[in-house]
Amino acid sequence: MLKRTFIILLVICLSPIAKAQDPQFSQFYAAPLYLNPAFAGSTGLARAGLNYRNQWPSINANFVSYSAYFDYYFDDYNSGLGFMVLSDVIGTPALQQNTISLQYAYQLPITPGLTFRPGAQVAAVLGSNDFSQYVFGDQYDPGTGLPTNPTGETGLGGNQFYMDLAIGGLLYSKNFWFGGAVHHLTEPNQSFNEGTVSELPMKFSLHAGYKIPLKYERNTSFLGAIREVSFTPTIQYKSQGQFDQLDIGTYFTYEPLVVGLWYRGLPISSIEGSSGNESVIVLVGLSVNNFNVGYSFDYTLSELGIRSGGAHELSLSYAFFLGDPSKPPKNKRILPCPKF
């Protein structure tokens, strides 16, 4: 039943009037280039990262997203460059979308304590839909109950390709940041059906936070480094087509341990029949010598409930210096936002 329900939803999503949504990561700061191109080079170092998300694993209509990224900050040019690969598997391996993107950000000091980073992204998107892997209702034999009959459904398979553009910006100080991004500036046609149009709506996002240092203490177990102890409230708002969403929560850091708790949803929902409550998210992570690993779980609050399996997410990142060890990086304007 779930599989047949998914097929119905798939057909609706591929119709010319459908308005799709982007994949998302609960650990959105652990997917910085996906969140906002202005994050390219934001560590002041080289950085490599991986993200994995499995949403609703207990039902057939689950969503699995993978991403890998690398970015680097060029001190002499106040510039950051980034590269990201994203793969999104929608419901079954038959329907997936792969994206390759490049990001550029410029670091512009405004005052000694305030910095602005504008950024831009260009991406190539390739989607595939293997029509032969689907089972439709007219394929079931009434006598055997098996899908042995040919289907009368046609015209839903094939590939898609389009170019995509995004812009973003970040304003930040030592402890505060505020950013925004607009993705899908040209609202590209994402239809698999030749001769039909299904525009991908622009996605608007705002994100902000404030790091409250509680204390810094000497930690002899980490080569004499200073152990950070901080509390960081964060908020993110996204809007795409008729859908909008709010993430609000906080991180608590006591190096090397990081824990987080968020609420996702919008109680005043504009979608009829929706409560607006989506999930509660918990995170646990470790941050050791610029290596970060985080795991989060989304406890579903919507009508699907926890029987959907919620969502599991894993992130890995490592920041490192590529230059001459005798000449440390000059950039001192590092974003204070979390690593998860």
Side-chain angles (χ1 to χ4, degrees), residues 289-310:
N289 296 332
N290 286 333
F291 177 77
N292 310 293
V293 55
Y295 168 78
S296 61
F297 177 73
D298 297 18
Y299 185 94
T300 306
L301 300 176
S302 68
E303 289 77 3
L304 281 175
I306 194 58
R307 66 183 182 276
S308 66

Side-chain angles (χ1 to χ4, degrees), residues 183-256:
H183 288 79
H184 317 308
L185 288 170
T186 61
E187 297 193 325
N189 179 21
Q190 59 170 353
S191 176
F192 284 98
N193 303 331
E194 186 176 352
T196 64
V197 176
S198 177
E199 292 182 344
L200 180 59
M202 279 191 281
K203 180 179 71 175
F204 302 88
S205 64
L206 297 172
H207 27 276
Y210 190 86
K211 178 182 287 188
I212 304 171
L214 301 180
K215 63 178 179 178
Y216 292 89
E217 59 184 38
R218 184 66 62 181
N219 181 9
T220 56
S221 65
F222 284 84
L223 305 177
I226 298 298
R227 184 203 299 261
E228 177 186 337
V229 183
S230 64
F231 178 72
T232 309
T234 64
I235 189 169
Q236 178 186 213
Y237 172 76
K238 294 189 296 184
S239 177
Q240 187 173 19
Q242 61 178 325
F243 302 97
D244 50 10
Q245 177 180 292
L246 180 70
D247 295 81
I248 185 167
T250 187
Y251 297 83
F252 175 72
T253 301
Y254 190 90
E255 285 189 323

